[in-house]
């Protein structure tokens, strides 16, 4: 597959959430096909700048082409967004006006058969977003313990039959290594009772999601990146986060809630001191979801949820 097309989810809503200022400094933590980045950069004048992160070399190559007309206003950084703060600090940036996250995997990553993300293609068990990383899905499936595999499938995949699947994986790899996606799918199908297999989408969907999230350490890096991004926002700066499943959404909701809540104050205080004001103000109390039309036109958008928050005041974390 040489064509890199990712249909951007919640394009206008997520970028509007950033309330872009022409001369602002923005970060797209998940460049992907460059859809959100393009919309942000179009709104900047000669002094505004966008820093865009991705860890996937193919995504970067495609986005560089798409964004070539805006080259002066963009710096593309190939790095995990876990190091958003460190990377930006190295470039002399310690305050930004907005950060956008559009989490998860892009359509091309799913559609490039050799990446091993999809249960639709037979491919080596890979699932790395960053091709430089050592850990692949193969290592998890063939080398991790029964209980670690069960935990990953159960926690990240929210798969009811995680234990049965982990047992079958353990038995199968005793005979020979499990090398391909289709071999893994046969094992998963064998582990799930027939009536359950016919319900709830593809039987391997949840296991693949769980293993993918473990390969890429998705929840761990998300937590650090959100906290660092909030810390880097200047007063009035915006955070716009699109998540695609409940675990990500719950984590995002929890962080925004913690950062936008008042601390416990002594009862009867006549006025709340300014220093006790929370770091963030929620812009969305309920997440924004794609319109019916977007959901009809882009299947991937079905589970998307957008949460937006604004920096209320800077809080010293040191
Ligand atoms: C859903 S796509 C983004 C699509 C993009 N907003 C667009 O409009 O085309 C997510 C992208 O984020 C990247 N990504 C996911 N987790 C990452 C991480 N921890 N660090 C850097 N990039 C990451 C993936 O490689 C993928 O290209």
């Amino acid at each position: 597959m040489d064509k890199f097309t990712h249909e951007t989810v919640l394009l206008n809503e997520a970028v509007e959430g950033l309330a872009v200022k022409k001369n602002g400094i923005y970060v797209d933590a998940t460049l992907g096909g460059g859809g959100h980045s393009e919309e942000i950069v179009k709104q900047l004048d000669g002094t505004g700048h966008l820093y865009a992160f991705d860890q996937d070399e193919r995504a970067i190559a495609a986005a560089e082409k798409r964004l070539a007309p805006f080259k002066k206003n963009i710096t593309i950084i190939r790095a995990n967004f876990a190091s958003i703060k460190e990377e930006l600090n190295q470039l002399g940036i310690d305050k930004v006006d907005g950060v956008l996250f559009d989490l998860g995997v892009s359509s091309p990553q799913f559609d490039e058969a050799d990446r091993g993300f999809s249960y639709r293609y037979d491919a080596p068990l890979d699932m790395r977003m960053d091709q430089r990383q050592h850990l692949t899905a193969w290592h998890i499936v063939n080398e991790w313990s029964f209980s670690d595999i069960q935990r990953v499938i159960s926690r990240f995949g929210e798969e009811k039959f995680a234990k049965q699947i982990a047992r079958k994986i353990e038995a199968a790899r005793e005979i020979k290594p499990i090398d391909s996606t289709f071999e893994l799918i046969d094992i998963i199908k064998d582990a799930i009772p027939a009536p359950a297999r016919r319900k709830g989408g593809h039987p391997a969907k949840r296991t693949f999601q769980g293993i993918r999230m473990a390969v890429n350490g998705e929840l761990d890096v998300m937590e650090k990146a959100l906290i660092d991004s909030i810390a880097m926002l200047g007063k009035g700066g915006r955070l716009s986060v699109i998540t695609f499943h409940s675990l990500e959404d719950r984590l995002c909701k929890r962080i925004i809630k913690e950062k936008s809540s008042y601390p416990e104050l002594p009862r009867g205080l006549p006025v709340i001191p300014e220093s006790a004001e929370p770091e963030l103000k929620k812009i969305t109390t309920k997440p924004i979801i794609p319109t019916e039309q977007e959901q009809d036109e882009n299947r991937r958008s079905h589970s998307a949820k957008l949460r937006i928050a604004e920096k209320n005041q800077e809080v010293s974390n040191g």
Side-chain angles (χ1 to χ4, degrees):
M1 216 193 83
D2 56 354
K3 200 159 169 285
F4 193 103
T5 34
H6 173 83
E7 224 174 300
T8 300
V9 174
L10 289 164
L11 173 65
N12 296 324
E13 295 87 339
V15 176
E16 271 164 25
L18 292 176
V20 175
K21 291 185 283 185
K22 284 198 288 236
N23 59 351
I25 306 284
Y26 291 90
V27 181
D28 182 350
T30 50
L31 171 66
H36 287 109
S37 277
E38 184 178 57
E39 199 50 42
I40 297 169
V41 84
K42 272 188 198 162
Q43 300 184 31
L44 301 178
D45 66 15
T47 54
H49 204 83
L50 175 70
Y51 293 87
F53 286 76
D54 208 296
Q55 53 185 344
D56 183 336
E57 62 180 354
R58 295 194 201 168
I60 292 199
E64 268 170 351
K65 268 198 205 152
R66 175 177 186 167
L67 300 170
F70 308 99
K71 217 166 146 189
K72 277 199 327 276
N73 290 86
I74 306 187
T75 304
I76 294 180
I77 301 164
R78 184 174 180 204
N80 192 304
F81 59 55
S83 54
I84 212 162
K85 183 168 181 289
E86 294 77 4
E87 293 283 340
L88 290 172
N89 286 170
Q90 266 186 29
L91 297 171
I93 306 295
D94 57 6
K95 278 280 159 286
V96 298
D97 296 291
V99 186
L100 178 129
F101 287 84
D102 175 16
L103 292 158
V105 178
S106 68
S107 314
Q109 285 168 332
F110 271 125
D111 294 339
E112 290 165 355
D114 62 321
R115 308 290 299 264
F117 282 111
S118 172
Y119 43 76
R120 286 181 290 136
Y121 308 112
D122 196 13
L125 284 172
D126 189 324
M127 301 198 197
R128 286 170 303 171
M129 288 191 207
D130 185 340
Q131 297 86 347
R132 299 167 298 189
Q133 177 180 304
H134 174 69
L135 179 72
T136 64
W138 190 93
H139 295 111
I140 294 183
V141 168
N142 288 289
E143 293 175 351
W144 282 20
S145 68
F146 160 79
S147 56
D148 284 344
I149 294 178
Q150 179 191 345
R151 180 180 49 79
V152 155
I153 300 176
S154 161
R155 173 153 185 252
F156 301 145
E158 300 185 282
E159 169 60 69
K160 245 191 350 212
F161 298 103
K163 188 169 176 185
Q164 290 85 333
I165 294 169
R167 279 261 173 270
K168 289 278 181 192
I169 289 177
E170 207 186 21
R173 70 191 192 189
E174 285 281 305
I175 302 164
K176 75 170 253 329
I178 303 161
D179 290 322
S180 73
T181 48
F182 277 11
E183 282 170 39
L184 179 59
I185 290 169
D186 285 343
I187 294 166
I188 297 167
K189 283 187 179 159
D190 195 29
I192 300 180
R197 230 174 3 200
R198 289 191 278 272
K199 288 189 293 199
H202 194 287
K205 185 174 162 194
R206 288 172 296 279
T207 301
F208 269 53
Q209 174 182 299
I211 295 175
R212 184 202 94 206
M213 290 181 69
V215 169
N216 297 291
E218 291 179 36
L219 286 183
D220 294 341
V221 293
M222 175 183 165
E223 175 149 16
K224 176 180 188 303
L226 285 182
I227 289 171
D228 283 354
S229 300
I230 293 167
M232 290 193 78
L233 289 174
K235 192 170 163 59
R238 290 286 185 94
L239 177 73
S240 214
V241 186
I242 304 173
T243 60
F244 287 89
H245 61 80
S246 54
L247 289 175
E248 281 174 351
D249 182 55
R250 262 182 263 153
L251 179 56
C252 175
K253 183 177 169 190
R254 173 174 66 73
I255 292 173
I256 292 181
K257 185 170 176 223
E258 279 170 15
K259 301 264 175 198
S260 57
S261 306
Y262 280 92
E264 295 246 342
L265 294 168
R267 285 170 139 255
L269 214 61
V271 255
I272 296 170
E274 210 177 297
S275 60
E277 291 262 339
E279 190 171 5
L280 284 185
K281 180 167 83 186
K282 281 185 203 165
I283 299 294
T284 49
T285 38
K286 285 225 160 69
I288 296 173
I289 58 168
T291 59
E292 266 179 40
Q293 189 187 344
E294 179 169 3
Q295 293 192 36
D296 288 344
E297 287 169 4
N298 182 4
R299 265 190 50 76
R300 219 189 131 257
S301 73
H302 276 211
S303 51
K305 286 187 176 158
L306 166 66
R307 293 187 186 270
I308 304 165
E310 183 176 298
K311 183 84 159 221
N312 191 35
Q313 77 159 339
E314 292 179 29
V315 166
S316 153
N317 294 311

